[in-house]
Amino acid sequence: QVQLVESGGGLVQAGGSLRLSCAASGRTFSNYAMGWFRQAPGKEREFVAAISWSGFTTLTRESLKGRFTISRENAKNTVYLQMNNLKPEDTAIYVCAQDRNRAPDRGADAYDYWGQGTQVTVSS
């Protein structure tokens, strides 16, 4: 049984930073790509970033490049999302997901396990 547990969310002022973590268990973490998605109230879930099994390849939503960085530590079975210069429009529930494959994907259909999410609220 795969479990993904996010942490690190919270309330932050605009311009601030947060680092989200997602701890995985249940199958060999280093065999799978990982991703972050987010969903704001009243909006569709959207892709944020993804990282390959090795960490060598990453994908980031175009509008978030330069502010958000995904990384992973396979020895700790953990994936991270560093978020800098946060804006009120970044307010959402952030969810990590584990891909079926080793290569990162933008589409949610590629992911077969999902966490519960962590709330990020950015005040203006």
Side-chain angles (χ1 to χ4, degrees):
Q1 176 101 10
V2 173
Q3 285 192 318
L4 303 173
V5 180
E6 301 95 338
S7 61
L11 174 63
V12 63
Q13 287 188 331
S17 297
L18 284 174
R19 188 176 82 154
L20 306 183
S21 300
C22 173
S25 61
R27 62 182 183 181
T28 305
F29 180 74
S30 59
N31 283 351
Y32 302 96
M34 297 293 295
W36 285 96
F37 291 76
R38 68 184 184 183
Q39 187 164 18
K43 294 189 176 182
E44 296 284 317
R45 179 176 57 191
E46 64 181 22
F47 169 77
V48 173
I51 188 166
S52 65
W53 67 278
S54 64
F56 289 157
T57 303
T58 61
L59 301 174
T60 305
R61 188 177 189 84
E62 193 65 31
S63 61
L64 300 177
K65 285 182 179 179
R67 296 196 299 121
F68 286 24
T69 303
I70 189 170
S71 62
R72 66 189 294 160
E73 280 190 80
N74 286 345
K76 294 185 177 181
N77 291 352
T78 301
V79 62
Y80 304 98
L81 183 68
Q82 178 67 44
M83 306 185 294
N84 297 328
N85 190 22
L86 283 160
K87 304 177 180 181
E89 53 263 41
D90 295 319
T91 295
I93 296 174
Y94 285 72
V95 183
C96 77
Q98 193 169 69
D99 203 318
R100 295 185 182 87
N101 307 306
R102 292 189 170 209
D105 292 285
R106 297 178 186 274
D109 289 349
Y111 297 83
D112 50 5
Y113 291 100
W114 296 79
Q116 293 293 316
T118 186
Q119 176 71 46
V120 171
T121 303
V122 185
S123 63
S124 57

